[in-house]
Amino acid sequence: MTRIRFPDGFEWGTATAAYQIEGAAYEDGRGLSIWDVFCKQPGRVQNGDHGDVACDHYHRMPDDVALMKSLGIQSYRFSISWPRVLPFGTPQHRRVQQPINERGIDFYSRLVDALLAAGITPCPTLYHWDLPQALQDRGGWAFRDTAAHFADYAGLMYARLGDRVERWITHNEPWVVVTYGHRVGTMAPGIAEADVAARATHHILLSHGLAVERYRAEGQGGAIGITNSNSSYEPAEADGSCDGAVELARDFDTRLYTGAVLGRGYPDSVLRHYEARGVAFPIEDGDMATIAAPTDFVGVNLYSRTRVRPADSGLGFTVAPPTLPLTPMGYERAPHALGDFVRFLSAEYERPKIYITENGVCDNTEPVDGEIDDVDRESLLRGFLEGLHRAIEDGADVRGYYLWSLLDNFEWSFGYSKRFGIVHTDYDTLQRTPKRSAGFYRDVIANNGFD
Ligand code: GCO
């Protein structure tokens, strides 16, 4: 008897992102992205690591698809590298006609065909952080035209893959792009300015809305949504003194991004925070309606919880020190966070259709005699899935779960030092070895649940 069984038709997937796995950074006409440039700036990325080779997925794609098939993976969330298909950023550049890189498009077309032949549903993300450097040079997300460029790029991909792809994600985690890329500066493009952060927030969301409108205008019949990063915010003290801080943290995170996309506009608290710094969101007539163009699902990425308490400065709240043991990523081991967050989201937005587009565990267990016994990952995954299952039983409309990640890969500013894969990557030989957790996940999929 399976103790935990997910609803019929629940989809089990894995997720990756282009810059984190593809490599082949200078091959077949690919252009530079902001991450290529950022990684080569001294001190930006741990150990001076970069994605030039990464997991070499660009050359090993057929084997990686076969690996997924052997695990029973039902859907694969990958991302398209914008500069691989449009080295200079846009198909109909407003000033100069720029070429489409057919070899780049061909790679994604072959990937989609290979997935379909393996019975795996493709789910591409259009933007997982690798903006063409050519667009950054013109202002990047601070520049309104970048949103229009994104919609053109999206239109190109719908035209080329839309006959076979029925589930699209516009952006991955705008909160991270804004916070770490534009407000704190620890991720590409490495900017730390409130004004640029506000502009980037608005233009990224606008680009999402324009891409959704384009999808509908072109009569594409599949589903489209956005993926946001989230944490499950909890009060640092149980006496009510931190409840306001929890709401404020949710304003700057889920409500700013998911809320705006679902038609609630920007939270007043966020607008006031920026106003107090002399910064206004560059909202033009009609923008908020575009941002709220109807989508088909909400993508949820979640890894942990965050305890917060009020603060007199900064955002008005502050993150309290962890009380639970940490994973090597520094995240609290809080498997209850996934179910808790899904419950919050479901209540806040009247039961939207949800995909968990990322959830997973950093566990750096290395091979011993060829076996990778990542018990920690397995036990936390169990906990996450138990919580998710309870939230579904309580009424949340969750349609699928994408485990991050298929393979150990390039973990952004942490380089290759953090392993999230259920398959081990040997970065010297590039050999893939399924870990213990891959067997666990294979069984979860086969049973649509676990004991
Ligand atoms: C993110 C990304 C992934 C990460 C993953 C593990 O959330 O940062 O979407 O690219 O690799 O979340 O940190």
Side-chain angles (χ1 to χ4, degrees):
M1 253 298 276
T2 303
R3 188 161 55 90
I4 290 189
R5 185 176 289 276
F6 281 74
D8 287 345
F10 191 83
E11 269 189 87
W12 297 98
T14 49
T16 64
Y19 191 70
Q20 296 181 269
I21 66 164
E22 283 181 3
Y26 304 98
E27 280 177 57
D28 289 350
R30 178 182 176 279
L32 282 182
S33 82
I34 55 175
W35 272 94
D36 295 302
V37 173
F38 186 78
C39 290
K40 302 296 163 74
Q41 294 168 353
R44 292 295 207 179
V45 173
Q46 206 169 313
N47 197 33
D49 288 343
H50 49 70
D52 285 6
V53 177
C55 304
D56 195 35
H57 169 74
Y58 187 76
H59 297 116
R60 292 161 198 254
M61 178 271 282
D63 291 345
D64 289 339
V65 173
L67 182 59
M68 280 190 266
K69 188 178 178 187
S70 75
L71 297 175
I73 302 300
Q74 296 164 345
S75 182
Y76 177 46
R77 174 175 179 241
F78 59 96
S79 81
I80 296 169
S81 157
W82 184 350
R84 195 181 285 291
V85 298
L86 290 164
F88 303 98
T90 178
Q92 307 299 326
H93 201 281
R94 273 159 189 71
R95 286 150 192 89
V96 191
Q97 189 73 25
Q98 298 286 3
I100 293 169
N101 183 27
E102 293 297 342
R103 286 172 295 176
I105 296 201
D106 184 57
F107 170 72
Y108 296 107
S109 187
R110 284 186 286 114
L111 169 60
V112 165
D113 286 344
L115 291 168
L116 292 173
I120 300 170
T121 302
C123 175
T125 300
L126 289 163
Y127 189 78
H128 202 127
W129 307 357
D130 42 2
L131 187 75
Q133 181 63 35
L135 290 181
Q136 187 61 46
D137 292 343
R138 295 157 54 84
W141 291 112
F143 173 60
R144 190 177 169 94
D145 272 10
T146 299
H149 290 310
F150 179 75
D152 287 345
Y153 153 57
L156 172 70
M157 297 320 300
Y158 305 151
R160 298 305 187 87
L161 304 181
D163 57 335
R164 288 158 290 156
V165 169
E166 293 182 347
R167 186 179 304 148
W168 295 85
I169 293 170
T170 54
H171 277 269
N172 180 69
E173 304 191 345
W175 180 88
V176 173
V177 175
V178 169
T179 304
Y180 295 114
H182 298 84
R183 201 165 61 74
V184 182
T186 51
M187 284 187 161
I191 296 167
E193 287 175 41
D195 181 33
V196 177
R199 297 178 66 79
T201 303
H202 185 64
H203 294 147
I204 290 171
L205 287 166
L206 182 64
S207 78
H208 155 82
L210 291 171
V212 172
E213 287 180 348
R214 181 76 63 104
Y215 192 69
R216 308 295 182 207
E218 294 186 1
Q220 294 276 341
I224 189 162
I226 190 168
T227 278
N228 289 314
S229 57
N230 307 274
S231 188
S232 182
Y233 292 102
E234 298 179 12
E237 310 297 337
D239 59 6
S241 63
C242 301
D243 294 0
V246 168
E247 295 311 317
L248 207 47
R250 289 171 169 166
D251 284 353
F252 276 91
D253 186 349
T254 305
R255 292 192 185 110
L256 178 56
Y257 297 96
T258 305
V261 165
L262 296 181
R264 303 280 177 93
Y266 295 144
D268 286 341
S269 57
V270 175
L271 296 176
R272 278 200 309 271
H273 166 85
Y274 279 105
E275 265 163 37
R277 286 152 183 80
V279 172
F281 275 50
I283 305 171
E284 297 189 8
D285 278 356
D287 284 1
M288 297 314 289
T290 297
I291 289 170
T295 48
D296 300 297
F297 60 86
V298 178
V300 168
N301 290 1
L302 184 133
Y303 290 87
S304 191
R305 69 156 184 187
T306 307
R307 294 166 65 248
V308 294
R309 58 171 85 253
D312 291 335
S313 57
L315 300 179
F317 67 91
T318 182
V319 173
T323 55
L324 297 171
L326 307 180
T327 68
M329 187 68 183
Y331 296 161
E332 278 186 291
R333 300 167 51 93
H336 65 277
L338 183 59
D340 283 2
F341 178 77
V342 163
R343 249 189 223 95
F344 157 72
L345 193 72
S346 206
E348 181 86 4
Y349 299 111
E350 288 133 31
R351 208 172 168 264
K353 189 192 286 188
I354 296 169
Y355 284 95
I356 306 305
T357 42
E358 278 181 36
N359 170 247
V361 180
C362 179
D363 173 340
N364 284 342
T365 306
E366 286 290 343
V368 175
D369 297 331
E371 307 264 310
I372 301 113
D373 216 14
D374 55 340
V375 281
D376 209 35
R377 175 174 292 108
E378 178 176 326
S379 106
L380 280 168
L381 286 176
R382 264 177 200 278
F384 279 125
L385 291 173
E386 274 171 13
L388 178 64
H389 182 257
R390 270 198 304 279
I392 295 172
E393 283 193 325
D394 290 348
D397 185 7
V398 186
R399 302 297 177 100
Y401 173 92
Y402 291 87
L403 196 157
W404 183 276
S405 180
L406 174 66
L407 298 170
D408 293 334
N409 59 46
F410 176 76
E411 183 55 32
W412 307 111
S413 41
F414 298 94
Y416 294 97
S417 68
K418 309 288 178 199
R419 293 182 178 271
F420 276 86
I422 53 171
V423 174
H424 182 268
T425 306
D426 179 323
Y427 292 114
D428 294 326
T429 62
L430 295 167
Q431 192 188 324
R432 281 84 161 122
T433 309
K435 305 178 188 179
R436 173 194 174 110
S437 59
F440 166 71
Y441 197 48
R442 186 195 54 222
D443 292 347
V444 169
I445 299 171
N447 298 316
N448 199 27
F450 54 94
D451 293 326

